[in-house]
Amino acid sequence: MRRLPPLGSIQAFVHAARLGSIKAAADSLALSSPALTRRIQSLEQFIGTTLFERQSNSVHLNARGRAFLADIEPHIEALSFAVARVGETERMRIRIAVPSLFASQRLMPLLPELRHRHPELSIDVDTGADRIARLGEGLDAAIAITDKVDEKLYSRMLERGSIVAIGSRDLLDVVRTPADLRNVQILLHRDLSKGFDAWRTSIGMPELEPAEISYFDAGQLILDAAAGGLGIAFMLDSHLKASNDSRLVQFFGRSAVSPYAYWFACNRQGLDRKPIRIFHNWLFEQIAVDAAA
């Protein structure tokens, strides 16, 4: 057998290539940035060529790196699934990455029904960032709100929904029309900023500028801020419906088709594994029931 580079070096390379950041890749592997860099350098020395173009805060694959990633990705996935299949008849466990708001509002209330139906299945819920990028690297599947999913993955849309303005009842006398947003703060998720653009375009006011924009990294924090009267949030209508917070109401009665949707994603071979297939089929059954309610 030909000599191979350490698996840890290949793992470091794949994470950095997918995330485009040494720090993000190091965090996802529970390593320091220097340790991850050393692993990548070890791989480059083994191969005999550089694989990245390095900048101050990011890394990008060069032509050799892109070719190498394309060559090894299918084999990395195959190895991951081979490991997962070992003892699967004895251990029906999967790890699912889910946005924290979707997890608390939609997934966790339904999981007891899944447990009742499939007591042999265990679900580990991960609410960390970079859900899609971490598939196959400790994650079996992901639910993500995004505008698109890499075609190399299996993906299926859960729901798209509409963007609406959400705020506290206490602001109804202050914010009466969309034009009043010029005098108040709006609240957006850092990764979903196009939602407000879609909304203001749909109401015929594409140049509308709020007094200020505050960005958040978690949907529940946005809802809490809106309920406290700190501003008007632009989120999915399902977020308002599932919040069950009597302080929150929709403003203006206007909505826009969301540029983002909730997607289920896993590697192409994922549904060959029984626990992932069980979760996938159950999830879409439950979402269909929820949408009809």
Side-chain angles (χ1 to χ4, degrees), residues 191-264:
D191 297 329
L192 308 173
S193 60
K194 290 190 291 186
F196 177 63
D197 293 336
W199 185 86
R200 62 182 173 180
T201 298
S202 75
I203 67 168
M205 301 177 68
E207 305 302 322
L208 176 64
E209 293 293 339
E212 187 179 352
I213 302 176
S214 284
Y215 293 96
F216 295 76
D217 292 323
Q220 187 58 54
L221 292 179
I222 301 177
L223 290 175
D224 291 342
L230 297 183
I232 303 298
F234 287 85
M235 303 176 71
L236 292 179
D237 53 348
S238 61
H239 294 150
L240 174 60
K241 178 183 176 182
S243 71
N244 294 318
D245 190 329
S246 61
R247 295 173 297 171
L248 292 172
V249 294
Q250 180 181 341
F251 278 60
F252 316 125
R254 312 287 287 274
S255 64
V257 175
S258 173
Y260 307 100
Y262 276 110
W263 293 84
F264 174 92

Side-chain angles (χ1 to χ4, degrees), residues 77-199:
E77 292 180 7
L79 177 60
S80 175
F81 282 110
V83 171
R85 287 191 184 100
V86 173
E88 191 169 275
T89 56
E90 298 179 3
R91 189 177 67 92
M92 289 279 286
R93 179 181 293 274
I94 54 174
R95 188 174 187 85
I96 308 292
V98 187
S100 59
L101 186 59
F102 186 93
S104 61
Q105 287 189 337
R106 309 286 293 279
L107 184 60
M108 301 310 293
L110 296 174
L111 280 183
E113 196 278 336
L114 177 61
R115 173 60 61 85
H116 176 75
R117 191 185 303 186
H118 295 283
E120 77 283 6
L121 179 64
S122 295
I123 307 290
D124 294 334
V125 178
D126 180 319
T127 58
D130 302 310
R131 300 171 192 95
I132 299 293
R134 293 189 290 130
L135 283 172
E137 303 292 338
L139 292 178
D140 298 295
I143 296 170
I145 182 167
T146 182
D147 53 353
K148 61 182 179 180
V149 178
D150 193 322
E151 293 181 355
K152 291 184 294 184
L153 300 170
Y154 167 83
S155 63
R156 181 178 171 187
M157 186 189 295
L158 279 163
E159 65 178 26
R160 182 172 296 278
S162 301
I163 298 293
V164 296
I166 303 170
S168 168
R169 293 180 183 276
D170 295 340
L171 293 181
L172 286 172
D173 292 334
V174 178
V175 186
R176 297 173 178 271
T177 70
D180 292 329
L181 292 174
R182 297 188 178 100
N183 303 314
V184 298
Q185 178 175 248
I186 69 169
L187 315 172
L188 301 177
H189 194 288
R190 193 176 305 280
D191 297 329
L192 308 173
S193 60
K194 290 190 291 186
F196 177 63
D197 293 336
W199 185 86

Side-chain angles (χ1 to χ4, degrees), residues 37-96:
T37 298
R38 286 194 295 272
R39 290 190 181 189
I40 293 175
Q41 291 172 340
S42 173
L43 177 63
E44 290 176 327
Q45 291 171 2
F46 185 96
I47 295 174
T49 186
T50 59
L51 299 170
F52 289 99
E53 295 175 0
R54 291 169 170 82
Q55 299 177 358
S56 56
N57 296 317
S58 63
V59 290
H60 302 282
L61 292 173
N62 57 27
R64 294 178 295 274
R66 288 192 295 271
F68 183 60
L69 181 65
D71 283 342
I72 68 170
E73 267 194 315
H75 305 291
I76 291 292
E77 292 180 7
L79 177 60
S80 175
F81 282 110
V83 171
R85 287 191 184 100
V86 173
E88 191 169 275
T89 56
E90 298 179 3
R91 189 177 67 92
M92 289 279 286
R93 179 181 293 274
I94 54 174
R95 188 174 187 85
I96 308 292

